[in-house]
Each structure stands twice: as structure tokens, then as C-alpha cells.
Amino acid sequence: MSDPYSILGVSPGASDEEIKKAYRELARKYHPDNYQDNPLADLAEEKMKEINQAYEEITRQRAGGQSGGYQGQSAGTAYQSQSAGAAYQSQSAGSADPLLRQVRQSIQMGDLNAAERMLTQQATVKNAEWYFLMGEVCYRRGWLDEARQNYQMAVRIDPGNLEYRRAYNMMSRGGYAYRPYGNDMADTSACDCCTTLMCMNCLCGGGRGC
Amino acid sequence: MFGYVRPDRSHLSDPAWESYQAAYCGLCHCLKRRCGFAARFTLQYDFVFLCLLLEDRGEETVCRRRCAAHPWRPRPCLAATPAMELCADRSVILAYYKLADGVADETGPTRLKSRAARWALGRAYRSARGRQPDFDRHVALCLGDLDRLERENSPRMDRVADAFARLLAGAAPETGAGGLDRPRRELLYHLGRWIYLADGVDDLPRDLAKGRYNPVAARFGPEPDLTYLATTMTHSLSLAQSAFQLLPRTRRGELLENILYLGLPHVQALVLAGKWDGGRKRGRRDQP
């Protein structure tokens, strides 16, 4: 493993507080919410693992060098990216139609052309899930107008489905992205449930060591 | 390209701004040395961005140079790097195709102007094409798709934008490292979509007056839903920004971040408000 300090972008002489701040900023940057349904999600997850390991390593090193009272914090402080990722996956597992299940699989594997082909072959019976999956294909390609239209149709047909609603809500607020210039640049309408959860997650995950 | 991709000076530190200027002047000198005097007129902000994005971690050399635009005081100027040379060639190739497009689409004096400019750029283009044959083919292919969709008067905004976005995504050379190539491609793809839509919004009144194809008008009619457009453009920027954050941090981090998070949204707001200075972005060389 390379130098944990350089991974967090701090000098080895940095104070605990500075390190925690740097770590939190990076965790905010590579948060799974910013890469949801993104073809680059795997790279973001790798980054997240890397900074988690670096942070844990530093905390461990420093705990070892100091006397008393510091142990036991190191493992708990790191942000748990695994659990969040798993939560998203379990959400999108169910599909009654075997063909649509296959479409989901192709999307997961990044084979968007195959997914689209299967969907257009089945275009005679378009249900909410069909529109949702077509939206997923478009979204991963960066075809955001068509993605939004498809998600909207899915929500219209099946308003109770949380998966469809989440996707549509994301489109209607222009996606999530980390913003390095602080909150003044962020959209003020960012108070839907996903954002609140994300903020709480950060606060709870990183704040335990306080 | 179009000159939309520029930094927001008011939020940039002086050293970062100077390094931007040095990169701008560097690319201009590189264009002249590699492709001849005419090539300098293809200089655009967008390619300075590409240049900064592709730059490797090697040493940077800044010298001071005079030029026709700055004849009295020599300006700081970044010495050519392989990335800069690549951007210079690719900028000439793209400019040449754009002029060829102008010759095919325009009428009257504008067409004559495009024809003259294309002739003037001919030599530069041929030398750049000799060095970048794959990129030349890639541009021809993507612009062919774009042209076909525009002629069909396609209302599928994303599909038309896709042809241009793919073109830009191919502007970064493959390095073979997935961790570098994939975020770069994604970044440039989403940026390409954003540029294409920004240009569509900006050109809307002119295209409607002349009865030309416009992707925004084809999708929304003559009075587009600007809130919807703003959201979808911002979303493309969000995806470009997220891809950018996965790239290794270089010394250009501050500049690139300024362009992506402040410069582009600023330009977007101006374009959507109809306040973008359309006359300045075409023809005359941009000056930082």
C-alpha cells in the first residue's frame, strides 16, 4: 500500500483534525450517491476503499504511538461504503419477467447494446419496468433527455415504485455531484430524502470519533 | 469547436490564471510551429482545456515570447509537450471539418468566407492529418452521423448530441490504462453533449430565422422549455464533474476544477439567458 498520507493529500505532520477533515472531504467526493447508476461506479468504489484504508491506517498508526484512550475508534470512524452499495443493489434485484431480468443483467455488466436490443424486441408489452430499464440504458449512455422521459413514463404507470421514483427525482434535479466550492454553489432545492440521508450518513459515519 | 469551455477568472488565483494564459499562448505557438501561420486562427478555449486535461506529470517549462498579438511585451508561454502537440493537430483537423461544413451549409458571402478560410487552412490540415490519421477518420465518421441526423430533422436531441459527444470523447488518446481512459472518455462525452446543446440554444434564433436544423427546436419547438434544458445540461456537467474527480490529481487541478465547476455553469447561464456574445465566439480569435 502506498503512503496513506499522500492518498489523503495531507502531510505526515498534519493534526488529527486536519486528517479527519481531508478524509471527510474525500469521502464526500467519492460517495456512492455521486456515482449511482454511473458506468464509473466501480472506480469510485475503489477510490473509496483506498481512502478508507488510508484513514484507518493513519488512525491505527497514531493510536499505536499515543498512550491510552485512542483505541477502538479507528475501525468505527471510517465511512462504510460497502453497506450503502449493497443497499442499492438489493433494491434493484427483483424482476418477475425473465427477459427483463436478463435486461437488468446486461445493464449491470455494461452491455447496453444488448440490453437495448432485448428491450426493443419486446416493445409490444411496455410496462413500467420496461420504461424504467430503457431509462437506465439511456442514462448510462449519457442520453439524459430520453432517460428522463422513460423514467417519467415508468413513474406515471407505477407511481408507488420507489426505484422508479428515485431515478426520476434524480433526473429532475440534474443529478448529484460533489461540489468543491462549498455549499454556496449547491442547488438550494437539495432537500429531498436522498440528500438528507446522504448528509446524515456522512455525519453519523464520520462524526463518531468526535 | 465553440469556445464555451473557459475558466471563471473572478474565482481563479493569480498564479492559476497565469498558468492558464501560459498554456493558451503555448498552444498558439505550438499551432504555428507545427501547422503554419494559418493554424493559429483555429485556437480555441476548448482545446486549451483539452491540453490541460491531457497534460502529463512531466516538468513544465515556461518561457517568454512575443507574437503578432502581443508584439511589445513578451508573454509567458508554456513550452510544447506531447499533449499540446496532439491538441494542436486535433484542433486543426476539427476546425477544417467545421469550415467544410460551413461551405456545404452556408450561402452567399459567409460561404465564400468559409471557402477561403478552408483553402487557407488546407496545408495545415493535410500536415495534421498525416500525423493523426485515426482521429481524422473518427471526426469524419462522427460528423457524417451528425450531418445525416440533422438532415433527417431528428427530434431526438440526445441522439444528435451523441454524434458530437462521441467525437469529443475520441479526442483523448487511449493510454491503455482503464483507470485513466474511462473517466477521460466519460468526461469528454458529457462535455460534448453539453457543448452541443449550449450551441443549439445559442443558435436557436438564427437557425429559426434561416430555417436551418436546430436540435433544441426539433425537440421542443420554437419556444423551448428552458428550465428543462438547464436541468439536463447541468446533469451532463454533473456527470462530467464526477468523471473528472476520478482522474489522478495533477498540478492543473485548480484550473480544471474552476473551468468545470464555475466556468461552464456561468457560460450555461449566459447562453440560456440569451446573453452569450455570439459574435465574439466565432471568427475572431479568443483572447484570455
Side-chain angles (χ1 to χ4, degrees):
Chain A
M1 188 175 143
S2 46
D3 175 29
Y5 290 96
S6 68
I7 290 174
L8 294 188
V10 291
S11 73
S15 70
D16 290 356
E17 206 45 52
E18 282 166 344
I19 288 167
K20 191 182 279 175
K21 204 174 149 213
Y23 165 74
R24 275 195 204 160
E25 189 68 10
L26 288 169
R28 206 161 69 79
K29 191 185 280 193
Y30 301 118
H31 195 281
D33 272 357
N34 298 338
Y35 295 92
Q36 218 173 308
D37 296 340
N38 192 312
L40 303 175
D42 58 318
L43 295 177
E45 203 177 311
E46 264 172 44
K47 287 264 189 197
M48 199 68 170
K49 261 185 212 155
E50 201 180 85
I51 60 164
N52 275 342
Q53 274 169 9
Y55 186 63
E56 275 173 30
E57 170 72 15
I58 293 173
T59 335
R60 205 178 46 78
Q61 280 175 10
R62 294 198 167 193
Q66 280 170 13
S67 55
Y70 226 92
Q71 246 112 32
Q73 285 185 7
S74 54
T77 342
Y79 170 78
Q80 304 289 317
S81 69
Q82 292 298 334
S83 56
Y88 291 129
Q89 269 166 17
S90 69
Q91 237 179 28
S92 59
S95 181
D97 189 323
L99 191 110
L100 292 184
R101 211 178 306 141
Q102 232 177 318
V103 171
R104 276 184 195 267
Q105 235 164 34
S106 297
I107 293 174
Q108 284 286 323
M109 282 157 59
D111 193 351
L112 301 177
N113 290 331
E116 192 189 19
R117 225 176 12 251
M118 283 187 265
L119 284 170
T120 39
Q121 272 167 15
Q122 227 217 2
T124 43
V125 272
K126 290 185 188 174
N127 56 12
E129 193 179 11
W130 187 95
Y131 282 107
F132 169 73
L133 291 176
M134 193 52 124
E136 293 273 280
V137 170
C138 292
Y139 183 75
R140 280 172 168 75
R141 284 193 173 134
W143 296 18
L144 304 174
D145 176 31
E146 298 194 6
R148 186 170 169 177
Q149 289 178 56
N150 278 296
Y151 287 147
Q152 192 175 14
M153 276 304 283
V155 170
R156 203 173 287 166
I157 298 171
D158 185 359
N161 188 305
L162 285 178
E163 190 182 23
Y164 309 163
R165 279 232 304 264
R166 177 194 59 72
Y168 180 64
N169 285 344
M170 177 186 62
M171 298 310 292
S172 42
R173 65 178 301 274
Y176 305 113
Y178 159 81
R179 299 191 189 274
Y181 292 91
N183 287 330
D184 56 324
M185 297 305 300
D187 189 355
T188 43
S189 68
C191 11
D192 58 309
C193 75
C194 285
T195 318
T196 320
L197 277 175
M198 185 180 115
C199 295
M200 280 170 62
N201 208 344
C202 288
L203 283 171
C204 300
R208 229 173 286 171
C210 293
Chain B
M1 293 224 286
F2 309 89
Y4 295 115
V5 186
R6 50 180 75 191
D8 180 353
R9 172 66 180 102
S10 59
H11 289 85
L12 208 56
S13 69
D14 287 339
W17 174 243
E18 273 160 29
S19 76
Y20 185 78
Q21 281 182 312
Y24 187 92
C25 288
L27 182 60
C28 184
H29 280 284
C30 183
L31 275 164
K32 179 182 174 239
R33 218 186 35 257
R34 256 172 109 75
C35 306
F37 185 75
R40 283 194 146 173
F41 293 95
T42 70
L43 181 62
Q44 288 271 9
Y45 285 118
D46 315 75
F47 272 93
V48 181
F49 173 79
L50 189 67
C51 209
L52 295 169
L53 182 73
L54 300 185
E55 201 177 73
D56 42 39
R57 283 152 179 258
E59 278 295 300
E60 69 172 339
T61 326
V62 179
C63 48
R64 289 192 158 267
R65 279 202 182 140
R66 264 185 260 269
C67 65
H70 309 103
W72 313 119
R73 274 185 61 196
R75 305 247 295 194
C77 177
L78 195 63
T81 60
M84 192 188 276
E85 289 174 345
L86 183 116
C87 289
D89 287 343
R90 296 190 166 189
S91 144
V92 168
I93 291 172
L94 208 55
Y96 185 83
Y97 276 99
K98 211 168 165 243
L99 288 170
D101 201 40
V103 173
D105 289 350
E106 304 280 356
T107 49
T110 344
R111 180 175 179 172
L112 259 173
K113 241 167 71 185
S114 293
R115 200 184 274 274
R118 187 180 62 164
W119 177 81
L121 200 59
R123 248 180 88 153
Y125 165 69
R126 283 186 294 277
S127 82
R129 183 182 58 187
R131 287 185 293 265
Q132 309 272 345
D134 292 342
F135 183 69
D136 181 68
R137 270 193 297 275
H138 172 71
V139 172
L141 201 76
C142 291
L143 289 181
D145 285 349
L146 190 64
D147 191 52
R148 188 173 46 76
L149 287 162
E150 290 186 348
R151 272 177 216 293
E152 285 170 11
N153 206 22
S154 171
R156 296 181 67 184
M157 189 169 86
D158 286 336
R159 252 197 80 79
V160 192
D162 173 74
F164 184 77
R166 269 190 290 123
L167 188 161
L168 200 60
E174 298 282 321
T175 62
L180 190 63
D181 289 347
R182 282 173 55 212
R184 264 187 191 167
R185 280 190 71 84
E186 284 281 313
L187 194 174
L188 291 171
Y189 183 93
H190 298 300
L191 185 63
R193 178 180 187 268
W194 182 88
I195 292 177
Y196 188 77
L197 294 184
D199 195 52
V201 177
D202 189 33
D203 278 342
L204 189 64
R206 283 182 291 275
D207 286 346
L208 285 176
K210 290 192 170 177
R212 282 189 304 219
Y213 174 79
N214 181 287
V216 175
R219 162 74 175 82
F220 294 99
E223 297 215 341
D225 179 347
L226 290 180
T227 321
Y228 186 99
L229 263 169
T231 309
T232 200
M233 285 173 73
T234 301
H235 203 153
S236 275
L237 286 186
S238 296
L239 290 170
Q241 291 157 355
S242 298
F244 168 74
Q245 293 299 350
L246 294 172
L247 288 169
R249 185 91 178 174
T250 65
R251 60 170 169 265
R252 304 300 183 196
E254 185 196 344
L255 254 178
L256 291 168
E257 226 160 51
N258 173 287
I259 294 173
L260 285 168
Y261 288 91
L262 300 170
L264 296 178
H266 181 64
V267 168
Q268 177 179 314
L270 286 177
V271 168
L272 286 168
K275 288 183 184 155
W276 180 252
D277 188 350
R280 224 184 48 195
K281 76 173 172 130
R282 284 170 211 285
R284 224 179 74 188
R285 224 187 67 180
D286 292 307
Q287 203 70 80

